[in-house]
Amino acid sequence: MDALEAIHSRRSVRAYTGAPIPRDHLEQIVDAGRLAATGNNRQPWLFIVITDRAMIAQLKIAARWMEKAGAVIAIVMDPGSRWWVEDGAAAVENMLIAATALGYGSCWLEGYSLQFEDRIKALLGVPAGLRLLTLIPIGVAAEAPNPDKKPLREVLRWEHY
Ligand SMILES: Cc1cc2nc3c(=O)[nH]c(=O)nc-3n(C[C@H](O)[C@H](O)[C@H](O)COP(=O)(O)O)c2cc1C
């Protein structure tokens, strides 16, 4: 699947079959995050891949539906870096697209994980000075959502507003 195809077909998937994901696929997904644009090339990130079922079961405090994910990637950022939120967001989107290209469903999970940031950081052994930006559950999709998107003509202007 080429990049545009993956961008077009990516949707947030919140139901998975429970099938495991090969390690080399997870490495390719994290590699896509590692290569994201980053302010001043600071790369203030670290990606924790969680495949252990007992740990994933604990992480579901962030969202019950992720229990059957084949893996969860936690994006850990250094908030001392000026563009840590933007950098982290770029890395997350790259990984969602890479997961799609490899045939998996995934979801940007931030709302509830931030609420449980301290508990999740403790579970994963993340140092106090770092931030947990997002969790990305990834798995073989058990649903094919297709939420409405604004049409291109509504969001595109040429030359001026
Ligand atoms: C910053 C951000 C935070 C999000 N947080 C959550 C979340 O906590 N739980 C969730 O189920 N989806 C979350 N999402 C996914 C959005 O709900 C989803 O992208 C949106 O509904 C559009 O659907 P699509 O991703 O299928 O295009 C988040 C997305 C972004 C960009």
Side-chain angles (χ1 to χ4, degrees), residues 22-141:
R23 195 181 178 90
D24 73 303
H25 282 178
L26 291 167
E27 282 183 357
Q28 286 183 66
I29 291 166
V30 171
D31 205 37
R34 173 185 77 87
L35 295 170
T38 156
N40 209 19
N41 200 24
R42 288 194 189 163
Q43 308 171 63
W45 44 47
L46 192 130
F47 308 98
I48 305 175
V49 179
I50 302 116
T51 57
D52 178 65
R53 299 252 45 101
M55 180 60 89
I56 291 175
Q58 295 196 70
L59 292 176
K60 80 173 190 224
I61 50 170
R64 293 172 61 88
W65 49 260
M66 72 183 203
E67 189 172 15
K68 285 185 147 186
V72 177
I73 301 177
I75 290 77
V76 178
M77 302 296 298
D78 176 359
S81 186
R82 179 171 166 189
W83 301 283
W84 71 276
V85 174
E86 294 91 331
D87 290 354
V92 171
E93 186 68 13
N94 267 16
M95 289 190 278
L96 297 179
I97 293 166
T100 305
L102 290 166
Y104 299 105
S106 60
C107 187
W108 188 318
L109 177 59
E110 184 178 288
Y112 298 107
S113 50
L114 283 187
Q115 193 184 327
F116 297 109
E117 181 177 8
D118 287 342
R119 280 169 69 185
I120 295 172
K121 279 173 61 179
L123 281 171
L124 299 176
V126 176
L130 301 178
R131 296 293 308 271
L132 175 74
L133 183 71
T134 311
L135 296 177
I136 307 180
I138 302 172
V140 174

